[in-house]
Amino acid sequence: MSASATDTFDLIFAGGGTTACICAGRLAAADPSLRILLLEAGPHTRNLQTHIQPARYFRNLAVNETLTYQIGNPSKALNGRAPIVPTGRCVGGGSAVNFQMYTRASPSDYDDWEKFGNPGWSSKDLIPLANKAENYQVNDSPKHGHSGPLKISVGGLPTNIDADYLKVASAYDKDRSLLDDVADFGEINGYGDSTNENLVVKDRCCVVRVIFEGNRAIGVEYVDDASNRNNSDKDQKDQKDIQISRAMAEKCVIVSGGAFGSPAILERSGIGSKNHLQELDVPVLVDLPGVGENYQDHNLVFTGFYAHENAHTMDDIFRGTDDVVKPHLDQWLQSGTGLMAHNGIDVGIKLRPIAKKEFVELGEEFKKTWEGVYANTPDKPVAWSGVINAYAGADTNDYKAGKRYISGVYYLCYPVSIGHVHIRDGQNPYMPLEFETGYLDEPADLASLRWTYKHSRELIRRMAHYRGETPSGHPKFPEGSAAAARGECDGPEPIEAEDIVYTEEDDRAIDNFHRDVVNTAWHSLGTCAMKPREQNGVVDSSLNVYGVQNLKVADMSIAPKNVGANTYNTAIVIGERAALILAGELGIKGV
């Protein structure tokens, strides 16, 4: 590899995801004299029609340059499958490609973070930062912020599916209530619905490693992504002609490549497990075995249902031809309303067991998890469960153009299973990572998913728009089972209908279904954990990487434990907190 000319800045962000953009933007606005560089491997998406039209998100999950596809190791727990985890690869990171679901973590999640010896990271510290970022337009609740840069609103159309779900929930599930706000940092078990010239953003710049002078970080090396992205199959010997660029940081380097990118950058920089780095001939700067460990996610499942022909669904936009999409696009261009302004996910519940029969259903496998995670934290949900107004299944044999579908969707909020991610090559940033998801390795996770599947199914089969169950969207129950998928039908079950009774064999079929279909919720975190070094931590409470100077990590990888929500809001909170930390160290006021 050969080097090019060097630029110098005060701060360099190695990665341009949500957290980095928030932090860099706050600091640049507060101190116009501060020279900040933000490097992002992917492209800009600002003002691209396919990224600013809300309903386009589903199509953006297809192979494109704004995503990286991390491929996990084949797993016995997943019936031999190698799970694929797409991650944002563009300026804004996951915020530019996500499902636009806005849910906030439980207060106890952040209090758990503080218990690792992290002052300043409790719920009382972080909830104000979440509110600071918000311009919450759903209501005027004092539990939200209303003057921040991030607009939070409902979709462009109140759909009949959402109203149907809530009506059934209130009539069927009398142990739980309807809530006006499920993102208020408190309620669960209820249903509901600038430019800164001193900030330089360089897209298509893939960071290879951090540059050190002794143990002090002084800059980064990066390559041009557009010309090098196809080098994933090249080892170190084949990279002599790759042009390396350098940027120097006089005050701090902030690694912000996400749960996959940040540990990879650290390991290529000589920070990680000594044994692993030596195997790859990477000179060891700091023996820090926690790098890349503690990988966590939320285990997500879609189930499939047919819907009434008058249901407001996203099927035409998600899967239709251009002529089918055009009327929805025209309405959005003219008024910003209609289904194109919607994400198809307006209702759901943060769910945890209440009744004795629910604990019986969860069984002994779940008991230890309940006692360790949930019993003393009543704000922690076991799962998030709702509906998406579309066919979301992977098996397209069940999908027929012109028909209407709804999908059950649920994910575990605190899976017990843990994975890891590490580099396979000490030089090439495009070499696929060695990635163990850990999905369903622990039996307690299967028990939680099984219970959530049954709860979700009982609600949806009572909805007025329900017209049956798609074959591939449900377990393959034994022949003659009373739990067998119903197929297409004329209408729903009555509210007062008996719940489906499942046999032990049926339960095994549900478990096997989940092994076959469970996937990422696109909520990867934890691989540079903010914990004590002796507990496999990577950064301290000021986000400093152990063993070196002038190097921080700021993104979802620093989360020491999971959060019971979609992770976008937490990424924002980390960005706000990181901005305050850096401002304090640099003597900047007004952040």
Side-chain angles (χ1 to χ4, degrees), residues 35 56 65 67 86 103 117 147 158 185 213 224 234-235 239 251 275 307 355 367 478 487 510 529 569:
R35 300 162 300 164
R56 296 283 194 180
E65 65 177 1
L67 291 168
T103 59
S147 59
F185 278 111
E213 190 174 78
D224 176 67
K234 294 183 178 180
D235 61 24
Q239 298 182 58
K251 296 181 178 178
N275 293 338
K367 187 175 181 180
I510 296 172
N569 178 260

Side-chain angles (χ1 to χ4, degrees), residues 502-513:
Y502 296 87
T503 67
E504 290 185 10
E505 199 173 359
D506 292 332
D507 283 351
R508 287 193 291 271
I510 296 172
D511 291 348
N512 199 57
F513 170 72

